[in-house]
C-alpha cells in the first residue's frame, strides 16, 4: 500500500511539474514576417475582423478594466504610410494634438524602423465614418514596424492608467520581433 501511495504521489508531482513548465512557456505569434512574444498576462482573443491579424485583451489586476491590443498587416504598399497612420490615430481622439498629448518617436531596433505613438484623452471608438462612442480618460499606445512586406500596425487602446502600466510589456513585445 505504501508503494502505491508513493507511486501515486510521484506521478502527481510529475504531472504538476509538467503543467507548470507548459504554463511558463513563452507563447509566440506571427504577423507578416515577424514573430512576437506574447506578454504573459495578455489574453489572446479571436478577432471578428479579417483585417485584424492578432488581437489581445489586457486586464487590470482586479479585472474591472481592460485594454485592447490589435495587430494589422495589409501587405506591401497597403495600409498607408507611417505618418498618415500616426495622424489617423491622433484623429481618433477628441481635441487638438496639444490637448491629447500627441507624441510620436521614430527609432531603429535591430535593422528595423519602428515608430511609437502615444495619445491620451477622450478616445472616439468605432469604425471610421461610422458612429463613434466617446471614451474619456483613455490612452493609445501604438507601434508601426516598417517592412518591405508591408508595415505592421500595432495599437493598444483603453483606460489611460492601464495602458500606461502595460507600456513596458508592449515595448518588449515589439522589440522581441525585430531584434
Amino acid at each position: 500500500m505504501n508503494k502505491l501511495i508513493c507511486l501515486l504521489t510521484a506521478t502527481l508531482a510529475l504531472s504538476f511539474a509538467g503543467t507548470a513548465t507548459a504554463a511558463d512557456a513563452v507563447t509566440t505569434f506571427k504577423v507578416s514576417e515577424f514573430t512576437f512574444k506574447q506578454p504573459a498576462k495578455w489574453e489572446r482573443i479571436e478577432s471578428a475582423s479579417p483585417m485584424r491579424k492578432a488581437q489581445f485583451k489586457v486586464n487590470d489586476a482586479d479585472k474591472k478594466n481592460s485594454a485592447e491590443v490589435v495587430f494589422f498587416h495589409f501587405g506591401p504598399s497597403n495600409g498607408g504610410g507611417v505618418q498618415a497612420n500616426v495622424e489617423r490615430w491622433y484623429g481618433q481622439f477628441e481635441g487638438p494634438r496639444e490637448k491629447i498629448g500627441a507624441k510620436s518617436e521614430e527609432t531603429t531596433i535591430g535593422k528595423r524602423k519602428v515608430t511609437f505613438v502615444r495619445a491620451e484623452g477622450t478616445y472616439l471608438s468605432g469604425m471610421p465614418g461610422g458612429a463613434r462612442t466617446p471614451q474619456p480618460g483613455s490612452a493609445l499606445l501604438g507601434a508601426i514596424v516598417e517592412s518591405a512586406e508591408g508595415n505592421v500596425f500595432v495599437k493598444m487602446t483603453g483606460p489611460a492608467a492601464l495602458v500606461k502600466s502595460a507600456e513596458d510589456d508592449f515595448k518588449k513585445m515589439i522589440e522581441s520581433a525585430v531584434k
Side-chain angles (χ1 to χ4, degrees):
M1 186 67 151
N2 283 342
K3 285 183 180 181
L4 181 59
I5 291 172
C6 287
L7 181 61
L8 287 172
T9 304
T11 303
L12 283 172
L14 287 173
S15 295
F16 285 120
T19 302
T21 303
D24 293 337
V26 174
T27 303
T28 61
F29 61 98
K30 195 165 174 80
V31 177
S32 181
E33 67 190 271
F34 302 104
T35 301
F36 295 87
K37 291 180 185 173
Q38 175 182 333
K41 296 177 184 176
W42 293 17
E43 177 187 344
R44 178 113 189 223
I45 57 175
E46 283 298 314
S47 171
S49 168
M51 290 176 50
R52 295 178 175 206
K53 302 306 178 192
Q55 187 170 337
F56 296 88
K57 182 177 179 180
V58 182
N59 293 309
D60 62 7
D62 57 8
K63 296 191 177 192
K64 289 185 178 179
N65 296 300
S66 64
E68 175 183 68
V69 182
V70 182
F71 287 72
F72 298 94
H73 177 258
F74 304 104
S77 304
N78 289 316
V82 172
Q83 196 55 41
N85 277 279
V86 169
E87 295 299 326
R88 186 176 52 77
W89 287 350
Y90 291 156
Q92 293 173 330
F93 282 82
E94 201 171 75
R97 282 180 165 208
E98 303 78 43
K99 183 180 174 187
I100 64 169
K103 181 180 177 188
S104 67
E105 173 189 4
E106 183 181 295
T107 187
T108 301
I109 303 172
K111 295 181 181 180
R112 299 292 180 167
K113 281 189 184 178
V114 178
T115 301
F116 288 101
V117 180
R118 288 191 188 106
E120 187 175 336
T122 299
Y123 180 69
L124 303 171
S125 73
M127 295 296 291
R132 299 237 169 152
T133 305
Q135 297 177 339
S138 295
L140 174 146
L141 181 60
I144 301 170
V145 182
E146 295 186 43
S147 169
E149 293 183 22
N151 297 342
V152 173
F153 305 91
V154 186
K155 184 174 80 166
M156 173 188 275
T157 55
L162 179 55
V163 171
K164 287 178 187 177
S165 73
E167 186 170 359
D168 284 345
D169 284 341
F170 183 91
K171 285 187 172 182
K172 286 177 187 174
M173 177 191 62
I174 300 299
E175 290 169 357
S176 75
V178 296
K179 283 193 169 183

